[in-house]
Structure formats: structure tokens, C-alpha cells
């Protein structure tokens, strides 16, 4: 027993020793702590390199990155933000409603003085980004990069079957039919974590009812239980009834869903550009193409989803001045270009010429430039509680497409609960 | 050995082997996956096919790429004092509740048991705040103190029930000899509770080693985090590489397994002691 | 004598202080929050019993509650007795028996994240081990999407939980069996008691401390189940495999309704309390005074 007690004492001593050492290293003068959700290797490494570059140019600064798994990050950020002691100096976050949620509660610091002498937000970013970065007249969000959504397919499969990228809904249906007849499942999806289904709802609503109606719906201003929304589900139902979606998709994560596209079991996948991050085989990567979500009603102005990621400084940041210096660096053309190029994203900084990008990225950029409106994404545009309940209904609809009436009623009931 | 005995022992081994094989089927899959190349995993859907060649390549890759050595050290620094602390204080508390008569005895026991029933995810916010308030946030001690405290609920309940079975005469005899109460605890109660402490130690070690939530909530710095957090980032990094995820998982599970092997002997010791008398 | 009177309080001092700070205080905090509306960021607003009223009208609450009851029943009926059987069966002085015990124990060494990952592969509808085996045996019609069929998903998850839970109860019973002195067994044999009599009359009563604990933790574990559901299905598809602990987590940390989540936590806490304390009351009532 004596041994047990003494080993306990020894362990405690060892711990205090380790703690002492770690405290001693906290001495660096201008410290910046970034909490980041970029846990995938490519973005994680890129941010690390950016930090190294910044530290080289500013030797008196020490920047630490604490990386958290994506899902946990979204939970834990709410423990740090209100805390005076545990708050980081910079957090990675999402533009639009999600950023506004924190700004609204007074938890974020305005960024109006990071731009440098005589410069402003607009010297760095296109005007269009104002609506997702500025709230009540002040800038809170620093956009880093964004990506586009589209239907991804294997060029070799389309060549083999002599298929062309469809432009209209009817052409799209023909492509599905052709794929199905040739023993491909036309559309793959992994709906286990639900948001992939929300992507479908967003795009169908944008194409059927347009972006203005969609944003009203997101803000809870109009009813879900309407003919307009029903039409969205009816288009969706057509695909489900014809068996165009892959079976048992709620068993798969989005990455597992992508596998069916990579191994040529399925023909197309509605997904963001980051699908490229999970292709390990270079040959498949080159064989991937994408096209715009088909036009359903030509009279509806085209809108696209462009989820934007970036950074914010919490109100309780212990080193705001140093943080702002780093934020300035992140906004610069060079830093933005470095990040975007590495990951095939599109930089938010407006001073990067489109020709610099990879041809595929240029195609995505053109697609967005030709569109009339942009939105973020279902769970970034509406309130979290609404998004959670609605995404369940979307997945349920895909399993039980006959229950449109009930689903519309539940969605409307939830909207009333959340927004009224 | 009689014929009957041989037959009996033979059938015991046969049944035991069959049970173990069925029981370990899911691990068999994880095990073989860790040795297979990804093209084998994807193209060969039959799980009963063994890997083409046994290579520890994927174990090495998981260990190196996942930065597992650092995470391993952290897990030890957190788990060992947590288990020792929880067992020691719970044995003290369990002894007090099992062998002394005083007012509110049952009430205190009840509170310890009840505290263990809260779905602990709910405690994330308050525990984060308390750690922050005391200035322990982002230190090993924050996690260790929480583990000791929370696990005490179950441990005290467990040890109290076992210590009750120790005959009070034994304690009284020591008291007559003039031993202090704490001495009685150290010299009589603890040795007699060994099998229970071993079982509890095994379970506690496994739980605390496998904890994911608190390592994440109470630690911010990557270089302090335990192996489970490392495993989740490994899963994030190698989404489509099942072999590397399997290998990493098996490495992490090896430590609680070794602890079980080490402490298992105390299970048999009780029987042997009885037999040799 | 005075020394002896104060001894228990001295022994309990540190445990009680630690427990009060890290466990009891957070529980009271949660109870307080259950009467408020709180987003986890700004100050909570007191709304009385509002959350409790909402709870009664929430269909997902009932789904989750019903699923928890399924977990409870199956946990009590399968891993609990199976753990006892394994403990009795493997508690022998034969060479190599350690290996078998270790084999049964193995699932418990896996973290829930890993456990869930392995079973997700096994349940995978196209290439998963179960469906592949069924097809190979010519039983293709029996293949099911184990995790996306809303009628069976909960049972699929419970199977996963039973695996380590059996190992858990086995360890508890193994520890308890060390309290059964060999002489007692020999004496019973000499008295001519047959195997069943020995089990019911001798072993089971001596296993009482272990059994009390095993039953209590089985109830607690089944009702508090979180990790398997959270990792494997997140309560899906469309909430059909939801359990209270995961629902609480989603409401509180994903939907910013900490008040409502606290209400769910309090209700779940009370349900577990009810089950465990009725059970323990029955046991402790008969405890001999010492």
C-alpha cells in the first residue's frame, strides 16, 4: 500500500513539473491563439504554412493553432466565446447567419480597423461579400475562401454512353434514364448526416421558386405548407419514384456516398467542390467533371450556393491587437491566394485574376459569376433549430416520398415554433 | 485423470473455443482489415479471405502519421493518476460508508450513486466553467480531477458493497490491538479488497483511457490531448483508408488490454488463497 | 472511541468535497437551467415549467423514451445473464483459461468511437460482413439495411451495445466469485448438493454484492446510452433510433436550446433514479445491520 501512495505522490509531482514547464514557455510577447476546425490534412497543413509565413515576417509574434474535429468544434465554440480566460484570439467560422448568431449576442469584435491606412473592406473583397460579413454596419467576419456546388460525374462514363452535360431538367431526366438503362445508379448520395439532402432541397427550391423566395423561407417569413414548397418536393419525388437515387443512402456518410461515384457504380453526385479533397486516386480526380444544377423554370433567375468560410475575433480575445495584425495578413492577396491555390478553393480577395486558377476552378467561378444571386447553404442560412428539424424531414421524405402532406405540415409547425 | 474428467475438460475447451471465435468475429474483421491494402479491402468483399501478406505497414503509418506517440504519453499522464486517485479515495469513502454507523450514512451513499446517473454530456458547460474558474483549463489536472471525482460515484458504490462482506470481527480484533482506523484501512481492508480493486481498476482504466469528451472539452492544446482525440482526427484524415483506421484503433485498444492481462491474476488469487488453506 | 467516531468523516472529507464541486454542483446547475430558456451564450431567462410542458407535447421525446426502454429490457435480458454465464463458465483452474477470459473482455477495451466504426463496417448494406455472408449462404432475401431501416435500426444498435456490456458484467461477476471460498463449494459438494442447488443456494447469495452492482450499472448504462447512437446514426434515420441522452445533446449543443436539453437531462436523470433507487431500496432494506 505504501508503494501505491508513494506512486500517487510521485505522479502528482511529475504532473506539476510538466505543468510548470508548460507555463514557462508561455512567455512569448505577442501571442495569437487560433482555434480551428480545419481538421482534414490538406487545409490543416495549409493553415500551418500560412502561420509559418506570418511568423517569419513578424518574428516577435507567436501563433498557436488548436485544431478540433469539425463537429465537436461547432459545439465547443460556445464554451470559449463567453469565457474571459479560455477565449482564443481568432476562431474559424462560417459567413452569414451563423456568424450573425454570435454577433447578435455581442460575442464578437468588429474588424473595422484591420485594413490598413485609408483602406476598407471593399479594397479587399467584392461588394457582394458585404451582406455575409457585415452586420449592423460593421465588419465582423473575414472571408477566406468559398466553393461552388454542382453535379459531379465521371467524364469517362458520360463518354462511354455518349451523354452530354444536361442544361435543363428534362435533359437531366434523360441522362438519369440513360444511366439507369445501362446499369448505373443515376444519382448517389450519402444522407446519414442529413445535410446532403438539404443541398437537394436548396437547389430544387432555388430552381423552382428562385433565390428571393428561398431566402424568405430561410428567414422564416413564409410558410412551408404552400403550393410553392410542395412543387419542390414533387420534383424531388419524381426522381425518387423512378428509383434514380442509390439504395439505403441513409446508411452512408457523404464520403461513403462519393465512393459509388468513384468506383463507377453511380453516375452523378450533387456535392460541393470539396468532393475533390476525398479522391485519393489521381486518375479519378482527373476524370471528375461537374455541371450546373439543371434549370427547371427558365423564368427563374439562376442562383447558386457558395458557402463561405473565414475567421472572426471573439470579444473576449486576450490579445486583440496581435490578432488583428494576423487578420490583416489573412486578408492580403498573397495569403488568400496561397490558401485557395493549395485547396482548389476560390479566394475571397478580389485582386486575384481568374486566369490564375486551375481550369476547373475557373469553370466554377464563371458559373457563379453568371448567376444572379448566391446563397450559403440550408444550415447556414436558417436558424440551427429549424435546420436540425427540417433536415430530418428531408431524409424522411427521401425514404417515404408518399408523405409529402405530413412533411409539409411538420416543417411548417417547426417554422412557427422557431421563428414566432 | 479419469476418462470422464478428460471428456469433461475436452468439451470445456471445445465450447470455450467456439464461444471465443464467435465473440471475436467483429474484431477479426478489424484485425484483418488492418493488414490488408486498400485495394484488397475494396475489391475483395469477402471478409473471410485473409490478407495477401501480413505487413505492419499500416500500423506504422497510423502510429507515425497520427502522431500517436505524443497522444499515448498524454493518455498515460491522464489515466494513471486518475485511476489511482479514484480507487484510493473511493476505497476510503467506501470503507467509511460500509463499516461505520453514523447519521446520514445511507443518504451520502445515495448521493454518490445518484450523481453517477446524470447523462454526463450535460455537465460539459458547468465543468468547463469550474475548471476555468479554478484556472485549470487546458491542463492535465483539470481532466484528472474531473475523472477522479466523477468516477468516485460508481467506485464508492462498488467498493462499499465489497467491503461490507469483510467480517467486522477482523477489524475489531485490530482495534483491540490498538491500531488506528487509518491503519486498519491500509493493513486489513485494502489487502482484502484486492480482487474487487483489481476488477474496478481494470474497468476504470479502460473507461478513462477511452474517454473522448473530457479530453476535448477541458484541453485546448493539441500537445496535451489523449489518444482518443488523436484517433478521431485520424478518422478524419483517412476517411477512406479503413486499414489505417483499423490499425490505429487496435493500437489504442492494446493498452487497456495489457492492463486487463496484468490485473487478471488477482481474480484467480482469491480462489488459490482459499484452496491452499 | 472518539477517534473511531470521527474516522468516517475524515475518510469521507476529500471524496465529498471533490464530488460536490465536480458532480453535484453541475447537477444543480442543470436542474436550474431546466426552468429557463437559454442559448448557451447570453443570460438565461426564467420560464418556469415551460420546457416541461413542451416536453410532454414532443413526439421525439416519446420516440427516444420508448427506445431507451428497449435498450433497458434487452440489456437486462441479454448481457446481464450472459456475463454471469461467462464468469461461471470461465472461472476455472485450467491452463489457458486466461486466454478465453481475455477474449471475452476484448470488446470492452475498444473506445466507443472505434467500436462504432467497426460495426458500421459490419452493417454496411452492400459490402458489410453480415449481408455478404447472408448472400454467400444463399439467404440474399434476409439482407437488410441494418442502420437505415427505421424499424430495426434500434435493435442493430443494441446488439453493438450488448457486446462490450457482456464483458463488463462478466468482470463484475468474476470479481464477485472471488468472494466464494473454495471450502464452501467443497462443503456443499460433500453435502451432496447437485449443481443447480449449489448455484442457487451457495453461489448466487455469495455473489450478491457483485449482482447488486451489475444490475444497477446495466440499468444506468442502458438508459444513459449515448456514444453508440451518436457515432453510428446520430439518432437517425429521421430520429427513429433516437435515445434521450443523444436527443438532449442535439438539442443543447446543436440547436442552441440548452434549457430544453437540461429538461431532458433532468427527466432522464429522474427516470434512472427511479429505477435504480427502487431496486437498491429493496436490496438495502434487507441488509443486516452491523
Amino acid at each position: 500500500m505504501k508503494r501505491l501512495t508513494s506512486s500517487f505522490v510521485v505522479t502528482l509531482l511529475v504532473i506539476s513539473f510538466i505543468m510548470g514547464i508548460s507555463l514557462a514557455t508561455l512567455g512569448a510577447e505577442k501571442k495569437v491563439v487560433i482555434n480551428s476546425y480545419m481538421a482534414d490534412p490538406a487545409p490543416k497543413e495549409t493553415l500551418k504554412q500560412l502561420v509559418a509565413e506570418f511568423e517569419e515576417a513578424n518574428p516577435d509574434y507567436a501563433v498557436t493553432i488548436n485544431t478540433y474535429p469539425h463537429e465537436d468544434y461547432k459545439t465547443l465554440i460556445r464554451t470559449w466565446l463567453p469565457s474571459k480566460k479560455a477565449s482564443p484570439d481568432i476562431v474559424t467560422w462560417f459567413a452569414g447567419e451563423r456568424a450573425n448568431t454570435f454577433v447578435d449576442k455581442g460575442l464578437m469584435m468588429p474588424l473595422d480597423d484591420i485594413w490598413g491606412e485609408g483602406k476598407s473592406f471593399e479594397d479587399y473583397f467584392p461588394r457582394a461579400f458585404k451582406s455575409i460579413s457585415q452586420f449592423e454596419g460593421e465588419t465582423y467576419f473575414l472571408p477566406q475562401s468559398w466553393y461552388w456546388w454542382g453535379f459531379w460525374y465521371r467524364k469517362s462514363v458520360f463518354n462511354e454512353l455518349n451523354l452530354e452535360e444536361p442544361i435543363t431538367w428534362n435533359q437531366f431526366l434523360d441522362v438519369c434514364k440513360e444511366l439507369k438503362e445501362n446499369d448505373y445508379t443515376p444519382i448517389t448520395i450519402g444522407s446519414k448526416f442529413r445535410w446532403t439532402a438539404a443541398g437537394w432541397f436548396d437547389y430544387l427550391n432555388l430552381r423552382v421558386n428562385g433565390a428571393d423566395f428561398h431566402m424568405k423561407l430561410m428567414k422564416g417569413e413564409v410558410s412551408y405548407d404552400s403550393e410553392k414548397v410542395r412543387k419542390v418536393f414533387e420534383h424531388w419525388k419524381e426522381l425518387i419514384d423512378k428509383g434514380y437515387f442509390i439504395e439505403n443512402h441513409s446508411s452512408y456518410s457523404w464520403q461513403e456516398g462519393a465512393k459509388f461515384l468513384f468506383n463507377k457504380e453511380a453516375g452523378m453526385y450533387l456535392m460541393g467542390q470539396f468532393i475533390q479533397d476525398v479522391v485519393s486516386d489521381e486518375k479519378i480526380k482527373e476524370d471528375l467533371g461537374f455541371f450546373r444544377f439543371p434549370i427547371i423554370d427558365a423564368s427563374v433567375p439562376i442562383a447558386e450556393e457558395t458557402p463561405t468560410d473565414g475567421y472572426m475575433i471573439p470579444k473576449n480575445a486576450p490579445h486583440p491587437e496581435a490578432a488583428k495584425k494576423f487578420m490583416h495578413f489573412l486578408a492580403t492577396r498573397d495569403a488568400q491566394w496561397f490558401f485557395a491555390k493549395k485547396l482548389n478553393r476560390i479566394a475571397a480577395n478580389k485582386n486575384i485574376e481568374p486566369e490564375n486558377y486551375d481550369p476547373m476552378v475557373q469553370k466554377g467561378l464563371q458559373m457563379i459569376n453568371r448567376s444572379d444571386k448566391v446563397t450559403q447553404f440550408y444550415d447556414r442560412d436558417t436558424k440551427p433549430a429549424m435546420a436540425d428539424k427540417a433536415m430530418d424531414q428531408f431524409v424522411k421524405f427521401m425514404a417515404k416520398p408518399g408523405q409529402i402532406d405530413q412533411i409539409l405540415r411538420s416543417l411548417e409547425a417547426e417554422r412557427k415554433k422557431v421563428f414566432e | 485423470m479419469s476418462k470422464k474428467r478428460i471428456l469433461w475438460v475436452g468439451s470445456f475447451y471445445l465450447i470455450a473455443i467456439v464461444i471465443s471465435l464467435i465473440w471475436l468475429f467483429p474484431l477479426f474483421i478489424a484485425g484483418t482489415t488492418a493488414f490488408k491494402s486498400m485495394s484488397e479491402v475494396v475489391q475483395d468483399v469477402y471478409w473471410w479471405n485473409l490478407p495477401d501478406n501480413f505487413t505492419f505497414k499500416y500500423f506504422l503509418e497510423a502510429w507515425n502519421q497520427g502522431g500517436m506517440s505524443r497522444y499515448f504519453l498524454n493518455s498515460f499522464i491522464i489515466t494513471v493518476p486518475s485511476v489511482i486517485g479514484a480507487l484510493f479515495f473511493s476505497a476510503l469513502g467506501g470503507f467509511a460508508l460500509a463499516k461505520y454507523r453514523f447519521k446520514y450514512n445511507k443518504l451520502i451513499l445515495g448521493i454518490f450513486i445518484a450523481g453517477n446517473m446524470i447523462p454526463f454530456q450535460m455537465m460539459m458547460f458547468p465543468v468547463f466553467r469550474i475548471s476555468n474558474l479554478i484556472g485549470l483549463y487546458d491542463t492535465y489536472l483539470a481532466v484528472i480531477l474531473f475523472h477522479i471525482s466523477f468516477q468516485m460515484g460508481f467506485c464508492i458504490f462498488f467498493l462499499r458493497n465489497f467491503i461490507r462482506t469483510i467480517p467486522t470481527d477482523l477489524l475489531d480484533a485490530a482495534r483491540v490491538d490498538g491500531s488506528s482506523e487509518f491503519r486498519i484501512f491500509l493493513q486489513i481492508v485494502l489487502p482484502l479488497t484486492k480482487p474487487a480493486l483489481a476488477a474496478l481498476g481494470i474497468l476504470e482504466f479502460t473507461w478513462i483511457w477511452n474517454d473522448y469528451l473530457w479530453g476535448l472539452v477541458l484541453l485546448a492544446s493539441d500537445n496535451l490531448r489523449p489518444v482518443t482525440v488523436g484517433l478521431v482526427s485520424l478518422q478524419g484524415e483517412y476517411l477512406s483508408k479503413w486499414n489505417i483506421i483499423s490499425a490505429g484503433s487496435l493500437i489504442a485498444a492494446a493498452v487497456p488490454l495489457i492492463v486487463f492481462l496484468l490485473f487478471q491474476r488477482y481474480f484467480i488469487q482469491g480462489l488459490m488463497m482459499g484452496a491452499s488453506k | 472511541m472518539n477517534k473511531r467516531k470521527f474516522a468516517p468523516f475524515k475518510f469521507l472529507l476529500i471524496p465529498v468535497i471533490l464530488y460536490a464541486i465536480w458532480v453535484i454542483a453541475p447537477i444543480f446547475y442543470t436542474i436550474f437551467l431546466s426552468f429557463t430558456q437559454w442559448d448557451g451564450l447570453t443570460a438565461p431567462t426564467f420560464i418556469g415549467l415551460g420546457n416541461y410542458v413542451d416536453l410532454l407535447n414532443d413526439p421525439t421525446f416519446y420516440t427516444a423514451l420508448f427506445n431507451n426502454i428497449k435498450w433497458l429490457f434487452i440489456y437486462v435480458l441479454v448481457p446481464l445473464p450472459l456475463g454471469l454465464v461467462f464468469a461461471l463458465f470461465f472461472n476455472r483452474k485450467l491452463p489457458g483459461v486466461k486466454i478465453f477470459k481475455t477474449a471475452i473482455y476484448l470488446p470492452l477495451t475498444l473506445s466507443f468511437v472505434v467500436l462504432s466504426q467497426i460495426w458500421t463496417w459490419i452493417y454496411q448494406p452492400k459490402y458489410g460482413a453480415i449481408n455478404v455472408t447472408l448472400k454467400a449462404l444463399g439467404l440474399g432475401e434476409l439482407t437488410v439495411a441494418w442502420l437505415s431501416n427505421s424499424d430495426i435500426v434500434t435493435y442493430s444498435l443494441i446488439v453493438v451495445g450488448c457486446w462490450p456490456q457482456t464483458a463488463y458484467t462478466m468482470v463484475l461477476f468474476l470479481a464477485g466469485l472471488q468472494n466464494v471460498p473454495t471450502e464452501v463449494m467443497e462443503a456443499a459438494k460433500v453435502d451432496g448438493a447437485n449443481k443447480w442447488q449449489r448455484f442457487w443456494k451457495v453461489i448466487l447469495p455469495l455473489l450478491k454484492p457483485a449482482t447488486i452492482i451489475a444490475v444497477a450499472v446495466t440499468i444506468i448504462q442502458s438508459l444513459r446510452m449515448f456514444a453508440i447512437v451518436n457515432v453510428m446514426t446520430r439518432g437517425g434515420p429521421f430520429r427513429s433510433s433516437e435515445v434521450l441522452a443523444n436527443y438532449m445533446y442535439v438539442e443543447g449543443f446543436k440547436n442552441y436550446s440548452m434549457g430544453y436539453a437540461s429538461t431532458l437531462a433532468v427527466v432522464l436523470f429522474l427516470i434512472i433514479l427511479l429505477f435504480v433507487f427502487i431496486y437498491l431500496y429493496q436490496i438495502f432494506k434487507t441488509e443486516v445491520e452491523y
Side-chain angles (χ1 to χ4, degrees):
Chain A
M1 200 53 228
K2 261 189 194 150
R3 254 173 50 209
L4 202 68
T5 328
S6 55
S7 63
F8 180 59
V9 172
V10 168
T11 341
L12 278 181
L13 282 177
V14 169
I15 293 161
S16 14
F17 178 70
I18 293 168
M19 272 169 29
I21 289 190
S22 52
L23 279 175
T25 55
L26 293 178
E29 255 185 303
K30 288 170 181 164
K31 222 184 130 204
V32 182
V33 178
I34 307 175
N35 283 10
S36 156
Y37 56 64
M38 297 183 208
D40 288 343
K44 189 175 167 185
E45 185 56 30
T46 311
L47 182 62
K48 213 166 116 190
Q49 287 170 358
L50 267 181
V51 163
E53 210 167 288
F54 174 79
E55 284 179 329
E56 206 181 333
N58 305 279
D60 48 337
Y61 284 78
V63 184
T64 320
I65 311 171
N66 296 327
T67 308
Y68 292 80
H70 199 92
E71 282 304 313
D72 300 305
Y73 184 91
K74 290 191 247 172
T75 304
L76 290 170
I77 188 169
R78 296 188 306 135
T79 61
W80 315 318
L81 292 184
S83 157
K84 288 221 159 55
K85 280 189 202 158
S87 173
D89 298 305
I90 296 176
V91 292
T92 55
W93 201 236
F94 315 100
E97 176 58 32
R98 283 227 184 140
N100 192 22
T101 307
F102 291 143
V103 173
D104 214 33
K105 317 261 184 219
L107 293 165
M108 292 298 176
M109 199 177 278
L111 304 175
D112 293 303
D113 50 346
I114 70 164
W115 311 113
E117 285 235 349
K119 286 188 174 174
S120 71
F121 185 84
E122 279 176 66
D123 292 304
Y124 293 84
F125 305 110
R127 290 178 72 98
F129 277 86
K130 275 186 154 180
S131 65
I132 53 167
S133 311
Q134 298 189 341
F135 309 98
E136 287 167 21
E138 285 190 287
T139 308
Y140 286 92
F141 182 85
L142 183 88
Q144 162 122 65
S145 65
W146 53 280
Y147 50 86
W148 68 94
W149 274 64
F151 270 107
W152 298 82
Y153 66 95
R154 296 288 297 265
K155 290 176 196 159
S156 55
V157 172
F158 270 43
N159 282 341
E160 174 205 313
L161 302 178
N162 264 327
L163 293 170
E164 299 228 340
E165 294 181 356
I167 294 165
T168 66
W169 185 249
N170 285 333
Q171 289 170 348
F172 177 71
L173 291 177
D174 289 341
V175 168
C176 288
K177 198 174 153 203
E178 195 68 26
L179 281 165
K180 177 123 188 155
E181 277 166 9
N182 288 283
D183 289 330
Y184 290 97
T185 307
I187 306 164
T188 181
I189 181 171
S191 63
K192 184 170 173 180
F193 301 134
R194 313 181 301 177
W195 53 267
T196 45
W200 272 90
F201 177 83
D202 278 355
Y203 262 109
L204 286 165
N205 197 25
L206 289 174
R207 291 291 182 267
V208 171
N209 297 314
D212 291 338
F213 177 83
H214 182 69
M215 283 318 287
K216 275 188 197 156
L217 196 65
M218 294 302 99
K219 294 198 170 101
E221 291 164 7
V222 289
S223 167
Y224 273 87
D225 198 358
S226 67
E227 275 315 302
K228 283 190 150 187
V229 181
R230 176 183 300 273
K231 237 164 94 186
V232 171
F233 282 104
E234 273 161 6
H235 277 90
W236 202 347
K237 186 167 186 286
E238 191 181 351
L239 302 174
I240 300 168
D241 287 346
K242 287 183 174 154
Y244 287 167
F245 283 102
I246 199 144
E247 273 190 319
N248 302 322
H249 47 77
S250 60
S251 292
Y252 307 122
S253 64
W254 75 266
Q255 295 97 335
E256 287 170 301
K259 241 185 211 161
F260 296 115
L261 178 66
F262 299 158
N263 67 15
K264 295 195 179 179
E265 280 182 57
M268 300 177 285
Y269 197 1
L270 177 63
M271 186 46 65
Q273 171 274 334
F274 52 84
I275 191 175
Q276 290 183 304
D277 297 0
V278 298
V279 196
S280 44
D281 189 333
E282 276 306 312
K283 267 189 225 143
I284 299 177
K285 206 168 187 169
E286 276 164 33
D287 195 36
L288 278 185
F290 75 93
F291 58 87
R292 180 201 286 278
F293 195 98
I295 307 298
I296 294 175
D297 179 346
S299 68
V300 173
I302 299 173
E304 297 291 336
E305 304 230 83
T306 57
T308 308
D309 299 339
Y311 307 90
M312 300 179 92
I313 301 183
K315 184 110 198 163
N316 288 324
H319 318 96
E321 290 316 310
K324 281 177 181 172
K325 171 115 181 161
F326 187 65
M327 287 289 252
H328 175 80
F329 168 74
L330 286 173
T332 57
R333 183 194 176 278
D334 289 349
Q336 293 246 323
W337 170 237
F338 181 81
F339 190 91
K341 185 183 63 179
K342 281 245 159 157
L343 300 169
N344 263 351
R345 307 279 194 272
I346 303 172
N349 191 298
K350 66 175 187 182
N351 302 319
I352 294 161
E353 307 72 28
E355 307 82 71
N356 286 340
Y357 288 108
D358 193 77
M360 165 146 343
V361 181
Q362 286 190 37
K363 187 181 166 190
L365 191 56
Q366 277 170 15
M367 183 174 93
I368 304 298
N369 285 340
R370 284 188 201 138
S371 64
D372 197 61
K373 284 256 162 60
V374 293
T375 53
Q376 290 289 309
F377 196 74
Y378 194 90
D379 63 356
R380 297 181 181 207
D381 285 326
T382 197
K383 291 201 171 173
M386 183 69 216
D388 178 64
K389 299 284 148 71
M391 289 196 295
D392 273 338
Q393 297 299 327
F394 298 154
V395 176
K396 185 172 187 179
F397 170 75
M398 290 189 77
K400 301 177 175 173
Q403 300 188 356
I404 294 189
D405 291 335
Q406 277 159 272
I407 285 164
L408 287 176
R409 273 201 303 275
S410 322
L411 284 169
E412 176 57 13
E414 208 51 53
R415 181 191 71 85
K416 278 196 177 129
K417 200 170 140 195
V418 172
F419 289 96
E420 285 173 12
Chain B
M1 221 186 266
S2 70
K3 231 183 192 172
K4 203 179 148 198
R5 171 90 180 150
I6 292 173
L7 203 69
W8 187 88
V9 170
S11 49
F12 167 78
Y13 280 111
L14 191 71
I15 297 170
I17 288 170
V18 171
I19 291 175
S20 307
L21 286 183
I22 297 171
W23 195 248
L24 293 181
F25 161 74
L27 268 173
F28 174 79
I29 290 175
T32 51
T33 307
F35 289 104
K36 286 180 179 172
S37 70
M38 258 336 270
S39 55
E40 272 183 272
V41 175
V42 173
Q43 279 153 19
D44 181 3
V45 300
Y46 298 111
W47 55 267
W48 51 83
N49 287 342
L50 291 174
D52 286 347
N53 48 355
F54 278 92
T55 159
F56 284 92
K57 204 170 104 192
Y58 308 111
F59 286 91
L60 271 175
E61 196 169 332
W63 179 265
N64 294 330
Q65 298 290 323
M68 298 268 268
S69 51
R70 175 76 228 180
Y71 291 131
F72 249 72
L73 183 67
N74 292 335
S75 277
F76 273 109
I77 295 175
I78 291 168
T79 311
V80 173
S82 300
V83 173
I84 295 174
L87 289 189
F88 181 76
F89 289 123
S90 306
L92 259 183
F95 174 48
L97 292 172
K99 287 292 173 195
Y100 295 89
R101 214 186 301 189
F102 56 93
K103 225 178 166 183
Y104 307 126
N105 181 319
K106 287 269 162 72
L107 179 74
I108 295 177
L109 176 68
I111 291 173
F112 272 112
I113 302 172
N116 212 245
M117 291 176 205
I118 188 91
F120 52 81
Q121 296 77 23
M122 215 50 226
M123 297 160 71
M124 261 168 70
F125 271 45
V127 169
F128 167 83
R129 288 201 176 160
I130 291 166
S131 309
N132 210 350
L133 201 74
I134 309 178
L136 291 178
Y137 176 68
D138 202 22
T139 64
Y140 292 125
L141 202 57
V143 190
I144 293 170
L145 276 180
F146 176 77
H147 280 314
I148 292 180
S149 311
F150 187 70
Q151 296 301 338
M152 258 178 356
F154 172 66
C155 293
I156 284 184
F157 172 46
F158 184 100
L159 291 172
R160 181 255 180 204
N161 278 6
F162 273 88
I163 293 173
R164 264 185 68 85
T165 60
I166 298 173
T168 310
D169 304 350
L170 275 178
L171 311 182
D172 286 338
R175 279 182 189 125
V176 172
D177 291 347
S179 293
S180 76
E181 297 297 313
F182 189 63
R183 242 188 127 80
I184 293 175
F185 169 71
L186 286 184
Q187 292 184 338
I188 299 174
V189 177
L190 274 187
L192 285 173
T193 326
K194 249 190 202 163
L197 281 174
L200 195 57
I202 289 169
L203 291 173
E204 289 299 333
F205 190 96
T206 308
W207 285 329
I208 296 172
W209 181 268
N210 283 333
D211 161 66
Y212 170 71
L213 187 68
W214 300 103
L216 205 61
V217 173
L218 299 175
L219 298 171
S221 311
D222 196 44
N223 58 353
L224 299 183
R225 288 183 187 158
V227 72
T228 38
V229 180
L231 261 185
V232 172
S233 27
L234 198 69
Q235 275 181 318
E237 291 179 29
Y238 294 95
L239 278 167
S240 43
K241 295 198 175 171
W242 295 10
N243 49 3
I244 293 178
I245 297 172
S246 287
S249 309
L250 293 178
I251 296 174
V255 177
L257 182 66
I258 291 167
V259 170
F260 178 79
L261 287 171
L262 287 178
F263 281 80
Q264 214 196 122
R265 66 198 181 92
Y266 290 106
F267 286 171
I268 311 196
Q269 203 179 40
L271 274 183
M272 305 248 269
M273 262 162 40
S276 62
K277 264 180 204 166
Chain C
M1 204 56 213
N2 236 358
K3 252 190 186 166
R4 192 175 161 191
K5 214 170 153 191
F6 287 115
F9 300 107
K10 270 195 280 181
F11 295 165
L12 279 167
L13 189 66
I14 295 176
V16 166
I17 291 175
L18 285 176
Y19 213 62
I21 296 176
W22 297 99
V23 182
I24 305 300
I27 290 177
F28 277 110
Y29 182 72
T30 304
I31 295 174
F32 159 74
L33 283 181
S34 74
F35 299 106
T36 68
Q37 197 164 35
W38 189 44
D39 57 8
L41 296 167
T42 44
T45 8
F46 187 76
I47 54 161
L49 288 172
N51 288 326
Y52 290 86
V53 176
D54 283 352
L55 184 92
L56 292 176
N57 299 314
D58 179 356
T60 311
F61 166 69
Y62 293 106
T63 314
L65 183 64
F66 188 55
N67 281 337
N68 268 120
I69 292 171
K70 286 183 198 161
W71 276 89
L72 174 66
F73 266 94
I74 299 178
Y75 256 44
V76 171
L77 290 178
V78 182
L80 191 64
L82 196 59
L84 176 60
V85 169
F86 281 161
L88 290 170
F89 187 68
F90 290 117
N91 191 41
R92 293 173 201 285
K93 276 180 286 172
L94 285 174
V97 87
K98 261 189 187 178
I99 298 171
F100 296 122
K101 277 192 246 176
T102 310
I104 305 294
Y105 182 73
L106 262 168
L108 199 59
T109 62
L110 303 171
S111 75
F112 278 114
V113 180
V114 172
L115 188 81
S116 307
Q117 182 71 68
I118 294 176
W119 280 90
T120 306
W121 293 335
I122 293 174
Y123 282 142
Q124 211 263 17
K126 260 196 144 136
Y127 308 119
I130 296 182
N131 282 356
V132 165
T133 312
L134 286 172
K135 273 180 215 152
L137 294 173
L139 298 167
E141 321 87 74
L142 292 180
T143 58
V144 180
W146 302 98
L147 295 178
S148 49
N149 180 324
S150 55
D151 296 326
I152 58 167
V153 56
T154 295
Y155 300 103
S156 306
L157 295 179
I158 297 175
V159 168
V160 180
C162 285
W163 196 42
Q165 185 68 19
T166 305
Y168 182 9
T169 50
M170 182 190 75
V171 171
L172 295 177
F173 285 123
L174 275 175
L177 280 173
Q178 309 325 308
N179 277 8
V180 183
T182 322
E183 306 95 327
V184 179
M185 293 291 292
E186 296 301 329
K189 261 188 206 166
V190 173
D191 289 348
N194 70 25
K195 274 198 170 154
W196 275 110
Q197 283 169 330
R198 258 183 284 152
F199 174 72
W200 289 109
K201 299 261 167 67
V202 183
I203 299 180
L204 214 52
L206 282 163
L207 272 180
K208 197 174 150 195
T211 316
I212 294 172
I213 291 159
V215 173
V217 293
T218 301
I219 297 171
I220 296 176
Q221 293 279 49
S222 64
L223 294 178
R224 223 175 49 176
M225 177 42 65
F226 168 76
I228 293 175
V229 177
N230 185 268
V231 181
M232 290 183 74
T233 65
R234 301 212 183 152
F238 40 91
R239 292 284 190 265
S240 54
S241 65
E242 194 60 283
V243 290
L244 287 172
N246 186 60
Y247 186 41
M248 173 202 87
Y249 183 79
V250 170
E251 282 296 318
F253 298 105
K254 303 280 177 233
N255 298 351
Y256 300 75
S257 327
M258 285 303 291
Y260 190 62
S262 302
T263 308
L264 284 163
V266 170
V267 170
L268 177 55
F269 180 61
L270 291 177
I271 293 171
I272 304 178
L273 214 60
L274 188 77
F275 272 102
V276 173
F277 273 91
I278 287 180
Y279 165 72
L280 288 181
Y281 180 75
Q282 296 296 331
I283 305 266
F284 288 157
K285 206 172 58 179
T286 60
E287 240 175 29
V288 255
E289 272 308 324
Y290 35 84

